[in-house]
Amino acid sequence: MTEFIPVFQPVLDGNEKKYLTECIETGWLGSNGRFVKKLEKEFSQYCSQKYGSCTTNGSSALDLALRVMKYTYKWEDNSEIIIPSFNIISAAQSCIYNNLKPVFVDAEETTWNIDTTKIEEVITKKTKAIVIVHIYGLPSDVSPILEIANKYNLKIIEDAAQAHGQTYNGKKCGSFGDIATFSFFTNKHVSSGEGGMVLSSSEEIINNVNYFKNLCFTKEKFIHNDLGWNMRMSNLQAAVACAQLEKIENTINKKKEIGSKYHQLLKEIPAKLSCERMPYAENHYWVFGIVINEDVKLSAKQVREKLLEENIETRPFFYPMHKQPVLERLGILDKIKRPVSEKLYVKGFYIPTGLNLTDSKLEYISEKIKKILMY
Ligand SMILES: *Cc1c(COP(=O)(O)O)cnc(C)c1O
């Protein structure tokens, strides 16, 4: 038995401590500090967008994105927003908080990203935007989505929270959206513990983001025309994220190395592994996913329990949005079948990809998976 292997562990061996020390020594803790501005400038440049605005986390970044798009383009209440069903709840709940209606599209079997052939079926007169979400480190197929958006005059919101530094046909993820969002949660490629970012190349949009994330203060301080939360990032968080951004290529290379080793070690198991590459991108393996074949009589949950007995932490795949009890209760779900995302939940899980995993740990994990699924 080995020591406990967590599904992820950050490595903080760059300038994190130095930058944090600077915050403490200068007293700049809050959102006016220099690291917030530095992160906005450097991260937007890195993603080929003009402007950035730091936020408290990736979910608040999405809430701001939907809020600001609705405000800027004067979308009516109950306008419809297309979102992948195989996804975290952040985008869907941001729609609901902003009186917009999320409409879900099933995943595609190989990449687990949105099935672009199913998008047009759900477009109505009320549809205003498509949320592109790059799932688990492999980009969505952006080109057909942009074509559809063009044809129906829809806006693009890009949730690149799992795709820092990833590219689609050589162009950075996070650069395709009219507005794009990132998370800097602990397990993301750039981490500040908690944190997020909104990017846009429109000055008007980013000004509106800055307005809504700052209690909707106006020039006449303490007189308000709108309501907005405080979603500002602290200088402490930005300091850590700045240091992490300096090492991002290393982080991505390490993840790719882990991914290709797992592919080698697990190639015989009766399961589908995270897709290695598509013509438009190589997987960056934000996480490494396994989807057990249908003819294996074990669910992901059962396999995960057995792995935990071997001290290996794993995570379930997303639970489809179109099955969420809370959305059912709100009465916003339709009757469309989305079988791929349902299967992914039952048969899928992901395994450790911490940046400091040694080869012997990767071998240990792979051996245990093989033992459970093959012998
Ligand atoms: C992590 C993540 C979020 C939420 O970010 P938080 O910082 O945890 O709020 C949103 N969307 C996707 C695709 C994510 O992976």
Side-chain angles (χ1 to χ4, degrees):
M1 186 77 105
T2 166
E3 62 185 307
F4 184 72
I5 306 175
V7 84
F8 183 76
Q9 255 183 328
V11 172
L12 304 167
D13 61 353
N15 283 321
E16 290 88 350
K17 199 169 179 179
K18 180 177 160 207
Y19 293 167
L20 276 174
T21 305
E22 182 189 316
C23 296
I24 291 163
E25 285 177 354
T26 59
W28 283 102
L29 306 182
S31 58
N32 290 330
R34 84 169 181 102
F35 288 112
V36 174
K37 288 180 196 75
K38 179 175 156 72
L39 183 62
E40 287 173 344
K41 182 160 169 257
E42 290 177 0
F43 196 73
S44 55
Q45 271 172 5
Y46 179 71
C47 298
S48 312
Q49 288 266 22
K50 267 200 192 135
Y51 307 104
S53 180
C54 288
T55 67
T56 46
N57 54 58
S59 303
S60 63
L62 271 163
D63 189 85
L64 282 165
L66 283 147
R67 174 114 199 222
V68 163
M69 292 298 281
K70 186 183 183 198
Y71 177 85
T72 308
Y73 294 104
K74 303 186 172 57
W75 295 342
E76 287 165 21
D77 279 353
N78 300 316
S79 291
E80 293 173 6
I81 310 297
I82 295 173
I83 298 176
S85 187
F86 187 65
N87 189 16
I88 191 171
I89 200 164
S90 308
Q93 90 170 23
S94 299
C95 288
I96 291 163
Y97 283 147
N98 290 295
N99 290 321
L100 297 165
K101 186 182 170 206
V103 177
F104 304 112
V105 172
D106 203 3
E108 185 276 317
E109 288 263 9
T110 310
T111 64
W112 311 334
N113 277 306
I114 193 167
D115 185 340
T116 58
T117 65
K118 302 234 161 78
I119 294 176
E120 281 189 277
E121 291 166 21
V122 300
I123 292 177
T124 72
K125 284 203 175 65
K126 290 184 170 178
T127 309
K128 296 292 183 204
I130 303 171
V131 182
I132 297 179
V133 187
H134 307 293
I135 299 289
Y136 293 167
L138 188 71
S140 287
D141 193 359
V142 174
S143 289
I145 303 176
L146 295 183
E147 264 170 45
I148 294 167
N150 209 14
K151 179 169 165 193
Y152 294 91
N153 197 18
L154 308 176
K155 298 291 179 194
I156 296 287
I157 295 158
E158 194 182 358
D159 178 0
Q162 305 179 354
H164 313 61
Q166 180 57 287
T167 56
Y168 176 87
N169 282 335
K171 195 167 177 285
K172 280 272 162 56
C173 292
S175 70
F176 294 98
D178 296 283
I179 194 164
T181 64
F182 283 85
S183 163
F184 302 131
F185 180 63
T186 315
N187 64 2
K188 306 288 160 94
H189 289 333
V190 173
S191 157
S192 56
E194 303 284 351
M197 174 85 73
V198 183
L199 301 179
S200 179
S201 285
S202 153
E203 196 173 5
E204 182 190 11
I205 284 178
I206 222 71
N207 286 343
N208 287 338
V209 170
N210 289 332
Y211 173 66
F212 279 108
K213 82 169 183 189
N214 190 25
L215 297 173
C216 299
F217 278 122
T218 56
K219 288 212 176 66
E220 294 290 327
K221 195 87 174 173
F222 302 117
I223 300 178
H224 298 265
N225 301 318
D226 293 287
L227 300 176
W229 299 103
N230 170 359
M231 293 172 170
R232 304 184 303 255
M233 180 190 272
S234 79
N235 203 40
L236 295 167
Q237 291 164 306
V240 176
C242 281
Q244 291 260 301
L245 182 57
E246 293 168 355
K247 303 182 294 183
I248 185 165
E249 297 311 325
N250 249 341
T251 303
I252 291 169
N253 286 337
K254 181 78 209 189
K255 285 276 188 177
K256 281 162 73 172
E257 210 179 293
I258 292 171
S260 67
K261 282 181 183 157
Y262 272 139
H263 266 288
Q264 273 301 314
L265 292 162
L266 295 171
K267 60 175 182 270
E268 292 141 39
I269 65 169
K272 207 177 243 178
L273 310 178
S274 273
C275 172
E276 278 185 280
R277 63 175 59 77
M278 292 299 282
Y280 44 78
E282 279 183 28
N283 205 327
H284 279 186
Y285 304 106
W286 173 64
V287 299
F288 192 92
I290 294 179
V291 179
I292 307 159
N293 286 352
E294 300 274 20
D295 55 6
V296 177
K297 295 286 168 252
L298 287 167
S299 67
K301 193 161 181 229
Q302 289 166 318
V303 175
R304 293 184 55 232
E305 277 162 11
K306 288 177 196 286
L307 287 169
L308 193 58
E309 285 168 18
E310 307 286 358
N311 258 345
I312 299 166
E313 189 187 30
T314 58
R315 289 281 150 77
F317 268 16
F318 294 126
Y319 189 70
M321 285 303 116
H322 69 279
K323 303 289 277 182
Q324 292 292 339
V326 60
L327 303 185
E328 181 89 62
R329 203 166 68 236
L330 290 171
I332 62 156
L333 297 178
D334 55 37
K335 297 272 181 282
I336 299 173
K337 295 258 182 294
R338 296 165 180 95
V340 177
S341 38
E342 288 180 31
K343 187 190 88 178
L344 289 176
Y345 173 74
V346 176
K347 290 292 197 177
F349 65 102
Y350 63 84
I351 58 179
T353 50
L355 296 177
N356 46 10
L357 274 179
T358 56
D359 283 355
S360 69
K361 290 255 168 66
L362 294 176
E363 281 156 24
Y364 173 84
I365 294 163
S366 303
E367 272 316 304
K368 297 300 174 192
I369 293 170
K370 280 199 221 166
K371 196 180 97 192
I372 295 164
L373 287 179
M374 293 175 69
Y375 315 128

